[in-house]
Amino acid sequence: MSRSSVVVFAENEEWSVIVIENDGESSHPFRFQKHASSFANAQRARLGFPMIDFAACGNANLPIAAR
């Protein structure tokens, strides 16, 4: 069974999206949350996952300097 996942997180004033599929992992860095969120949702759609409204999540994962 293949496991897939899409993870979005902030670190060092940068957003990252990790895509895990077919026993492989790829990392995609972004400067802005909206770009990371858009990419993450596109990957979620491609993998058959439901969309996430990242704007509704607040700024809990924002880098400290961005708050």
Side-chain angles (χ1 to χ4, degrees):
M1 181 168 129
S2 175
R3 292 188 181 202
S4 299
S5 182
V6 178
V7 180
V8 180
F9 66 95
E11 183 176 46
N12 298 326
E13 299 182 26
E14 182 177 82
W15 288 89
S16 293
V17 178
I18 306 296
V19 180
I20 302 167
E21 64 178 317
N22 301 326
D23 298 323
E25 180 179 303
S26 58
S27 176
H28 307 271
F30 296 90
R31 183 171 177 193
F32 300 107
Q33 178 189 17
K34 66 180 180 178
H35 297 157
S37 299
S38 177
F39 179 80
N41 268 331
Q43 294 303 303
R44 292 180 63 77
R46 182 179 66 80
L47 293 170
F49 298 146
M51 305 293 270
I52 293 177
D53 181 3
F54 288 99
C57 296
N59 68 353
N61 291 325
L62 280 176
I64 298 298
R67 289 187 189 170

